[in-house]
Amino acid sequence: MHEGGLLFFHGFTIGSLKIQSFVVYSWVAMAFLLTIAIIVRTSLKLVPAGVQNIVEIVVEMILDFCRKNIGHWGEHFFPFIATIGLYILVCNTMGLIPGFEAPTGNLNTNAAMAVPVFLATHVYGVRVNGFGYIKHFLGPVRSIIALPLMVLMFIIEVLGHISRPITLSVRLFGNMTAKHMLLLVLAMLSPWIVPVGILALGVLVSVVQAAVFVILTTLYLAGAVEKAH
């Protein structure tokens, strides 16, 4: 979904390489996050204030959430989860700025985040549990008598895990696209009054969708590194 007046509506071309608009806005989001990180890093104070205070609150919330749900692995996964969460949040809110597009309104951007989550889940599942990681796919009852049930549970679990990157990508894409369409339609019907309330709702949707992606990522990783019982 493209809203009118985008700064990079058609992207641009470097030689024979075509750079799509959503890629450009992804770079803008990354540049914004890097700039904020540099500003905070170069102006650290014992008593936080301004941007540092906001960043510390957000970072501590994500870190605390990781610790509570993944245990001692929380700090290990925190940089990965926080990076994804903050990036999605910035990308989502960019779509509310006139002349900008939300990169998360494109399936390619979302898949680029969902696939690493999928791979990290199973890489760490095998790393922590070894061959015993297969027990996560066999269900609660494991015996010769329950072999048919174990096979059925294995198939269901494999299909469920394969669908995870798809659902992560499509859920975020669908919500961001719907938000853009609603803003565009209401902006045409009532240019000043209605869109103000919808923009506030858009901010809420942007935050909620970033939180949902972070929550699901955390739960997937937590389930992979825990012992199967």
Side-chain angles (χ1 to χ4, degrees):
M1 178 63 190
H2 297 288
E3 298 174 14
L6 293 176
L7 298 179
F8 303 100
F9 188 83
H10 298 292
F12 58 89
T13 303
I14 302 177
S16 59
L17 180 62
K18 172 66 175 179
I19 307 297
Q20 299 293 333
S21 61
F22 73 90
V23 177
V24 179
Y25 289 106
S26 296
W27 293 344
V28 174
M30 289 186 286
F32 175 79
L33 288 171
L34 287 172
T35 302
I36 294 296
I38 292 172
I39 291 174
V40 173
R41 178 66 180 83
T42 55
S43 60
L44 286 176
K45 299 178 182 178
L46 186 60
V47 179
V51 177
Q52 181 185 343
N53 197 25
I54 297 174
V55 172
E56 285 193 8
I57 291 173
V58 174
V59 168
E60 286 179 3
M61 286 176 58
I62 299 175
L63 178 58
D64 185 59
F65 181 77
C66 292
R67 285 171 173 168
K68 287 181 178 179
N69 289 277
I70 318 181
H72 67 278
W73 279 95
E75 293 186 7
H76 180 81
F77 288 122
F78 164 71
F80 177 64
I81 295 173
T83 299
I84 289 179
L86 293 174
Y87 174 73
I88 293 176
L89 180 60
V90 172
C91 288
N92 289 352
T93 53
M94 279 177 61
L96 301 173
I97 303 174
F100 283 75
E101 171 189 358
T104 44
N106 188 289
L107 272 175
N108 294 288
T109 303
N110 303 340
M113 294 179 288
V115 171
V117 170
F118 172 79
L119 295 176
T121 298
H122 297 292
V123 167
Y124 278 93
V126 174
R127 174 180 172 182
V128 174
N129 298 285
F131 183 74
Y133 181 56
I134 196 173
K135 294 179 181 178
H136 287 75
F137 300 84
L138 301 180
V141 180
R142 290 186 284 273
S143 65
I144 298 298
I145 299 177
L147 184 59
L149 179 60
M150 290 167 60
V151 173
L152 178 61
M153 287 299 300
F154 179 80
I155 295 173
I156 294 174
E157 287 291 333
V158 168
L159 292 176
H161 281 258
I162 292 175
S163 68
R164 285 180 177 181
I166 300 174
T167 56
L168 280 175
S169 302
V170 174
R171 180 188 295 107
L172 185 56
F173 164 75
N175 280 279
M176 291 302 102
T177 302
K179 182 191 70 174
H180 297 335
M181 292 179 65
L182 183 60
L183 285 173
L184 183 60
V185 171
L186 291 176
M188 291 187 295
L189 295 176
S190 179
W192 298 104
I193 301 174
V194 177
V196 174
I198 299 301
L199 281 173
L201 180 61
V203 173
L204 178 62
V205 171
S206 299
V207 174
V208 169
Q209 290 308 310
V212 168
F213 203 104
V214 166
I215 291 170
L216 291 176
T217 298
T218 303
L219 294 180
Y220 292 160
L221 291 170
V225 298
E226 71 177 2
K227 298 295 181 181
H229 298 289

